[in-house]
Amino acid sequence: MDDTIIYRMDENLINEKEIEILGNGIREGKTVCFPTETVYGIGANALDENAVLKIFKAKGRPQDNPLIIHVCDKNIEKYVKEVPDIAKKLIDAFWPGPLTIILEKKDIIPLVTSAGLSTIGIRMPRNEIARKIIEKAKVPIAAPSANISGRPSATNIERCIEDLFGKVDYITGNSSSEIGLESTIIDVSVYPPVILRPGYITIEDLKKVDESIEIEKIEDIKNEKPKAPGMKYRHYAPKAIMKLYEGNTNEVEEDIKKDIMNLKMQGFKVGVLTFEDKKNSFDADVVYSLGDRKDIKSGINKLYETLRLFDDNKVEYILSENYEKSNETIAIINRLKKASLNEVMNIRRNDDNE
Ligand code: TXA
Ligand code: MG
């Protein structure tokens, strides 16, 4: 597929004609990269097995990793067996927005989409371009993040083009994703409901809707299959080897400085990922700041693009500071840990999986 068509479009300047082409394309089995408020997605008709298979192929994604379906309204009864009260409350509180809800699926959703599971993840994105394409398509859109499997998610159109040009039929969007981090995933097919992937919507936000909601201790599970299959794979990772440093800020600075020296002596190109207050402290080849260390939202917004910038610079090691643990930083720390592979020890670096 050398002929990927690109429609550049911003949310405040939507081209209805192009939306129509994209929506029709989806219904007819084509693949479309499109913006959402979290990250860009690579979408296809969720009800069409062959279309969905194209997504797995384009991303190089393992087929045991289920896709999230994206809908344009709150009437999801067509796709799921039951909408329990807790799901209704969550939908009312957070849709459209960055919350994916796992429910028992109906047969209309093919097993390819759910990767053989009896459940399906559903979300209604807030981004207008996304919602308009789904509306025109008149089918739900299965869409994982628009990146080659394992790489940091794409948060602007250039990164979609970099990873997926020639592998999909259409790419649309333009500017940076509003949030920049994937949706929070909550499984309400079990009781108590459990958060399978931390995201922009925090556990505290969710507990306001229902006290019983818990966080799945994915890192604690050694033998059991993780409940969000995607969380077991190498994920969000730059090409460089990344090391995450935790603890007292001054000690972290000292440790990073020592390691920069060691690595440079061995001839490696070294990058540092830090915050605004320390960005002039390190004598590395490349230094990027995630902003103020207390401004979590800004860090979340910059994370994936910054990881990709290290790759652009052909950095071989990224030495990264970490955020202080809090309700708000759970999600970004989760992604930093996955990118640095230091928590999930059973993941091998050479695994090209997601
Ligand atoms: O913000 C987002 O959620 C973005 C945008 C494009 O909507 N999508 C996204 O999709 O992050 P993806 O495929 O990169 O991540 C989906 C995650 C995977 O970890 C997958 O295993 C999990 O959701 N998942 C999907 N369906 C599931 C199910 N039925 N049960 C458990 N986990 C599921
Ligand atoms: Mg992904």
Side-chain angles (χ1 to χ4, degrees), residues 1-6 31 33 42 54 57-58 148 160-171:
M1 214 185 290
D2 298 328
D3 46 352
T4 299
I5 296 171
I6 298 176
T31 46
C33 286
I42 163 175
K54 289 183 195 168
K57 187 158 172 240
I148 295 296
C160 290
I161 294 171
E162 179 182 311
D163 276 22
L164 294 165
F165 188 87
K167 295 182 173 164
V168 294
D169 295 295
Y170 297 95
I171 297 178

mmCIF file of all heavy atoms in Angstrom, residues 1-6 31 33 42 54 57-58 148 160-171:
data_model
loop_
_atom_site.group_PDB
_atom_site.id
_atom_site.type_symbol
_atom_site.label_atom_id
_atom_site.label_comp_id
_atom_site.label_asym_id
_atom_site.label_seq_id
_atom_site.Cartn_x
_atom_site.Cartn_y
_atom_site.Cartn_z
ATOM 1 N N MET A 1 0.845 -1.206 0.000
ATOM 2 C CA MET A 1 0.000 0.000 0.000
ATOM 3 C C MET A 1 0.879 1.253 0.000
ATOM 4 O O MET A 1 1.252 1.761 1.039
ATOM 5 C CB MET A 1 -0.871 -0.015 1.263
ATOM 6 C CG MET A 1 -2.221 0.592 1.066
ATOM 7 S SD MET A 1 -3.084 0.664 2.632
ATOM 8 C CE MET A 1 -3.428 -1.081 2.925
ATOM 9 N N ASP A 2 1.304 1.683 -1.204
ATOM 10 C CA ASP A 2 2.192 2.860 -1.253
ATOM 11 C C ASP A 2 1.403 4.146 -1.252
ATOM 12 O O ASP A 2 1.965 5.235 -1.175
ATOM 13 C CB ASP A 2 3.022 2.839 -2.553
ATOM 14 C CG ASP A 2 3.893 1.606 -2.578
ATOM 15 O OD1 ASP A 2 4.309 1.185 -1.487
ATOM 16 O OD2 ASP A 2 4.129 1.075 -3.677
ATOM 17 N N ASP A 3 0.102 4.021 -1.379
ATOM 18 C CA ASP A 3 -0.686 5.205 -1.679
ATOM 19 C C ASP A 3 -1.559 5.631 -0.505
ATOM 20 O O ASP A 3 -2.747 5.871 -0.663
ATOM 21 C CB ASP A 3 -1.545 4.939 -2.916
ATOM 22 C CG ASP A 3 -2.222 3.575 -2.810
ATOM 23 O OD1 ASP A 3 -1.877 2.832 -1.862
ATOM 24 O OD2 ASP A 3 -3.087 3.276 -3.635
ATOM 25 N N THR A 4 -0.971 5.721 0.682
ATOM 26 C CA THR A 4 -1.715 6.246 1.827
ATOM 27 C C THR A 4 -2.138 7.688 1.519
ATOM 28 O O THR A 4 -1.304 8.500 1.113
ATOM 29 C CB THR A 4 -0.819 6.239 3.089
ATOM 30 O OG1 THR A 4 -0.445 4.899 3.366
ATOM 31 C CG2 THR A 4 -1.546 6.821 4.286
ATOM 32 N N ILE A 5 -3.415 7.980 1.717
ATOM 33 C CA ILE A 5 -3.897 9.349 1.483
ATOM 34 C C ILE A 5 -3.889 10.108 2.799
ATOM 35 O O ILE A 5 -4.356 9.589 3.817
ATOM 36 C CB ILE A 5 -5.307 9.320 0.867
ATOM 37 C CG1 ILE A 5 -5.249 8.657 -0.513
ATOM 38 C CG2 ILE A 5 -5.901 10.725 0.785
ATOM 39 C CD1 ILE A 5 -6.602 8.380 -1.123
ATOM 40 N N ILE A 6 -3.333 11.311 2.780
ATOM 41 C CA ILE A 6 -3.252 12.107 4.007
ATOM 42 C C ILE A 6 -4.218 13.291 3.924
ATOM 43 O O ILE A 6 -4.176 14.061 2.962
ATOM 44 C CB ILE A 6 -1.810 12.626 4.225
ATOM 45 C CG1 ILE A 6 -0.856 11.433 4.395
ATOM 46 C CG2 ILE A 6 -1.747 13.547 5.442
ATOM 47 C CD1 ILE A 6 0.604 11.805 4.509
ATOM 48 N N THR A 31 -8.470 1.078 6.319
ATOM 49 C CA THR A 31 -7.849 1.463 7.595
ATOM 50 C C THR A 31 -7.551 2.960 7.612
ATOM 51 O O THR A 31 -7.099 3.525 6.615
ATOM 52 C CB THR A 31 -6.525 0.696 7.812
ATOM 53 O OG1 THR A 31 -5.768 0.734 6.603
ATOM 54 C CG2 THR A 31 -6.777 -0.741 8.205
ATOM 55 N N CYS A 33 -5.880 6.146 10.130
ATOM 56 C CA CYS A 33 -5.295 6.709 11.363
ATOM 57 C C CYS A 33 -5.990 8.028 11.641
ATOM 58 O O CYS A 33 -6.099 8.869 10.743
ATOM 59 C CB CYS A 33 -3.817 6.995 11.182
ATOM 60 S SG CYS A 33 -2.850 5.528 11.189
ATOM 61 N N ILE A 42 -5.273 3.791 15.131
ATOM 62 C CA ILE A 42 -5.342 3.223 13.779
ATOM 63 C C ILE A 42 -6.615 2.382 13.736
ATOM 64 O O ILE A 42 -6.736 1.387 14.446
ATOM 65 C CB ILE A 42 -4.076 2.429 13.388
ATOM 66 C CG1 ILE A 42 -4.344 1.520 12.191
ATOM 67 C CG2 ILE A 42 -3.514 1.614 14.529
ATOM 68 C CD1 ILE A 42 -3.108 0.793 11.690
ATOM 69 N N LYS A 54 -6.294 -6.196 9.205
ATOM 70 C CA LYS A 54 -5.356 -5.241 8.599
ATOM 71 C C LYS A 54 -4.656 -4.386 9.655
ATOM 72 O O LYS A 54 -3.519 -3.983 9.484
ATOM 73 C CB LYS A 54 -6.096 -4.305 7.629
ATOM 74 C CG LYS A 54 -6.556 -4.969 6.355
ATOM 75 C CD LYS A 54 -7.212 -3.915 5.464
ATOM 76 C CE LYS A 54 -8.001 -4.554 4.347
ATOM 77 N NZ LYS A 54 -8.853 -3.565 3.660
ATOM 78 N N LYS A 57 -1.864 -6.371 11.201
ATOM 79 C CA LYS A 57 -0.759 -6.489 10.255
ATOM 80 C C LYS A 57 0.028 -5.173 10.174
ATOM 81 O O LYS A 57 1.252 -5.166 10.234
ATOM 82 C CB LYS A 57 -1.332 -6.862 8.888
ATOM 83 C CG LYS A 57 -0.280 -7.174 7.884
ATOM 84 C CD LYS A 57 -0.794 -8.038 6.738
ATOM 85 C CE LYS A 57 0.305 -8.108 5.688
ATOM 86 N NZ LYS A 57 -0.116 -7.581 4.385
ATOM 87 N N ALA A 58 -0.692 -4.067 10.052
ATOM 88 C CA ALA A 58 -0.017 -2.770 9.897
ATOM 89 C C ALA A 58 0.855 -2.438 11.099
ATOM 90 O O ALA A 58 1.956 -1.920 10.968
ATOM 91 C CB ALA A 58 -1.061 -1.668 9.676
ATOM 92 N N ILE A 148 3.848 1.627 15.519
ATOM 93 C CA ILE A 148 4.339 0.260 15.338
ATOM 94 C C ILE A 148 4.364 -0.362 16.724
ATOM 95 O O ILE A 148 4.756 0.276 17.698
ATOM 96 C CB ILE A 148 5.749 0.282 14.700
ATOM 97 C CG1 ILE A 148 5.693 0.853 13.281
ATOM 98 C CG2 ILE A 148 6.383 -1.100 14.714
ATOM 99 C CD1 ILE A 148 4.885 0.050 12.285
ATOM 100 N N CYS A 160 2.383 9.454 13.138
ATOM 101 C CA CYS A 160 1.571 8.433 12.437
ATOM 102 C C CYS A 160 2.188 8.159 11.076
ATOM 103 O O CYS A 160 2.320 7.007 10.659
ATOM 104 C CB CYS A 160 0.149 8.921 12.211
ATOM 105 S SG CYS A 160 -0.827 9.048 13.684
ATOM 106 N N ILE A 161 2.554 9.238 10.406
ATOM 107 C CA ILE A 161 3.132 9.093 9.064
ATOM 108 C C ILE A 161 4.441 8.312 9.159
ATOM 109 O O ILE A 161 4.688 7.382 8.387
ATOM 110 C CB ILE A 161 3.335 10.494 8.420
ATOM 111 C CG1 ILE A 161 1.973 11.154 8.167
ATOM 112 C CG2 ILE A 161 4.145 10.393 7.131
ATOM 113 C CD1 ILE A 161 2.027 12.621 7.729
ATOM 114 N N GLU A 162 5.241 8.662 10.145
ATOM 115 C CA GLU A 162 6.534 7.988 10.338
ATOM 116 C C GLU A 162 6.346 6.467 10.516
ATOM 117 O O GLU A 162 7.054 5.672 9.914
ATOM 118 C CB GLU A 162 7.181 8.586 11.589
ATOM 119 C CG GLU A 162 8.516 8.023 11.987
ATOM 120 C CD GLU A 162 9.014 8.692 13.277
ATOM 121 O OE1 GLU A 162 8.999 9.935 13.360
ATOM 122 O OE2 GLU A 162 9.384 7.959 14.216
ATOM 123 N N ASP A 163 5.380 6.082 11.318
ATOM 124 C CA ASP A 163 5.210 4.651 11.615
ATOM 125 C C ASP A 163 4.346 3.924 10.588
ATOM 126 O O ASP A 163 4.572 2.744 10.336
ATOM 127 C CB ASP A 163 4.549 4.465 12.995
ATOM 128 C CG ASP A 163 5.550 4.507 14.139
ATOM 129 O OD1 ASP A 163 6.638 5.086 13.928
ATOM 130 O OD2 ASP A 163 5.248 3.985 15.226
ATOM 131 N N LEU A 164 3.354 4.596 10.029
ATOM 132 C CA LEU A 164 2.311 3.838 9.326
ATOM 133 C C LEU A 164 2.053 4.243 7.876
ATOM 134 O O LEU A 164 1.198 3.656 7.211
ATOM 135 C CB LEU A 164 1.010 3.898 10.139
ATOM 136 C CG LEU A 164 1.112 3.165 11.492
ATOM 137 C CD1 LEU A 164 -0.037 3.558 12.408
ATOM 138 C CD2 LEU A 164 1.145 1.657 11.302
ATOM 139 N N PHE A 165 2.808 5.225 7.359
ATOM 140 C CA PHE A 165 2.626 5.581 5.956
ATOM 141 C C PHE A 165 2.954 4.351 5.103
ATOM 142 O O PHE A 165 3.939 3.666 5.333
ATOM 143 C CB PHE A 165 3.526 6.746 5.540
ATOM 144 C CG PHE A 165 3.209 7.251 4.158
ATOM 145 C CD1 PHE A 165 2.236 8.221 3.965
ATOM 146 C CD2 PHE A 165 3.850 6.717 3.045
ATOM 147 C CE1 PHE A 165 1.918 8.662 2.683
ATOM 148 C CE2 PHE A 165 3.541 7.146 1.760
ATOM 149 C CZ PHE A 165 2.571 8.125 1.591
ATOM 150 N N GLY A 166 2.076 4.086 4.143
ATOM 151 C CA GLY A 166 2.298 2.914 3.289
ATOM 152 C C GLY A 166 1.686 1.648 3.873
ATOM 153 O O GLY A 166 1.646 0.616 3.211
ATOM 154 N N LYS A 167 1.229 1.723 5.116
ATOM 155 C CA LYS A 167 0.647 0.529 5.752
ATOM 156 C C LYS A 167 -0.845 0.674 6.006
ATOM 157 O O LYS A 167 -1.492 -0.274 6.424
ATOM 158 C CB LYS A 167 1.353 0.259 7.075
ATOM 159 C CG LYS A 167 2.814 -0.093 6.878
ATOM 160 C CD LYS A 167 3.483 -0.394 8.189
ATOM 161 C CE LYS A 167 4.884 -0.906 7.914
ATOM 162 N NZ LYS A 167 5.728 -0.863 9.083
ATOM 163 N N VAL A 168 -1.368 1.892 5.840
ATOM 164 C CA VAL A 168 -2.803 2.127 6.032
ATOM 165 C C VAL A 168 -3.356 2.879 4.822
ATOM 166 O O VAL A 168 -2.594 3.418 4.019
ATOM 167 C CB VAL A 168 -3.077 2.962 7.311
ATOM 168 C CG1 VAL A 168 -2.691 2.188 8.561
ATOM 169 C CG2 VAL A 168 -2.346 4.299 7.270
ATOM 170 N N ASP A 169 -4.678 2.913 4.712
ATOM 171 C CA ASP A 169 -5.272 3.598 3.559
ATOM 172 C C ASP A 169 -5.281 5.116 3.732
ATOM 173 O O ASP A 169 -5.031 5.853 2.789
ATOM 174 C CB ASP A 169 -6.699 3.083 3.350
ATOM 175 C CG ASP A 169 -6.709 1.615 2.972
ATOM 176 O OD1 ASP A 169 -6.186 1.293 1.879
ATOM 177 O OD2 ASP A 169 -7.193 0.779 3.767
ATOM 178 N N TYR A 170 -5.605 5.566 4.947
ATOM 179 C CA TYR A 170 -5.709 7.014 5.179
ATOM 180 C C TYR A 170 -5.044 7.400 6.497
ATOM 181 O O TYR A 170 -5.065 6.623 7.464
ATOM 182 C CB TYR A 170 -7.173 7.448 5.274
ATOM 183 C CG TYR A 170 -7.994 7.234 4.042
ATOM 184 C CD1 TYR A 170 -8.763 6.081 3.883
ATOM 185 C CD2 TYR A 170 -8.035 8.203 3.032
ATOM 186 C CE1 TYR A 170 -9.539 5.876 2.751
ATOM 187 C CE2 TYR A 170 -8.802 8.019 1.896
ATOM 188 C CZ TYR A 170 -9.550 6.856 1.765
ATOM 189 O OH TYR A 170 -10.314 6.675 0.642
ATOM 190 N N ILE A 171 -4.527 8.629 6.531
ATOM 191 C CA ILE A 171 -4.061 9.219 7.790
ATOM 192 C C ILE A 171 -4.670 10.616 7.880
ATOM 193 O O ILE A 171 -4.557 11.406 6.939
ATOM 194 C CB ILE A 171 -2.520 9.316 7.848
ATOM 195 C CG1 ILE A 171 -1.892 7.915 7.800
ATOM 196 C CG2 ILE A 171 -2.074 10.062 9.109
ATOM 197 C CD1 ILE A 171 -0.363 7.877 7.803
#
